[in-house]
Amino acid sequence: MSVTRGGLLLLFNNGAPSFNQPANTPAGESRSYSAVSAYAIDAAAGTATEAWRFDHDQSIMSDICSSAYEASDASVLVSYATANNRTK
């Protein structure tokens, strides 16, 4: 997780639901692909709104150790640590 120069929260979502949720709260969805999303945070309202998403046509699942960072030229580097059920 990081914050872009524009103040968006940048997250790599590996596609798995949360494994450590408080009791009686939803774990989130389980997907067959990973995605990078940027969120605008409204601290006063306690909300987050997705500003943009990159999901590589929903074709890559990287379930561990992946990340995304904004580079100095405002491009986003997405690092997939694994793919194809950890075979690549």
Side-chain angles (χ1 to χ4, degrees):
M1 158 181 87
S2 61
V3 178
T4 68
R5 282 178 292 194
L8 299 175
L9 181 65
L10 186 61
L11 299 171
F12 188 96
N13 182 330
N14 65 5
S18 176
F19 298 118
N20 191 18
Q21 285 295 105
N24 301 316
T25 61
E29 67 179 312
S30 179
R31 299 188 311 225
S32 61
Y33 65 93
S34 300
V36 174
S37 296
Y39 294 91
I41 306 298
D42 182 336
T47 60
T49 304
E50 188 176 60
W52 60 264
R53 174 189 290 202
F54 173 75
D55 62 20
H56 203 276
D57 295 324
Q58 300 181 359
S59 64
I60 299 176
M61 169 60 120
S62 184
D63 66 340
I64 190 168
C65 297
S66 298
S67 59
Y69 297 96
E70 182 181 44
S72 61
D73 65 355
S75 63
V76 175
L77 171 66
V78 177
S79 173
Y80 295 100
T82 66
N84 294 351
N85 208 18
R86 297 189 186 178
T87 62
K88 295 191 183 245

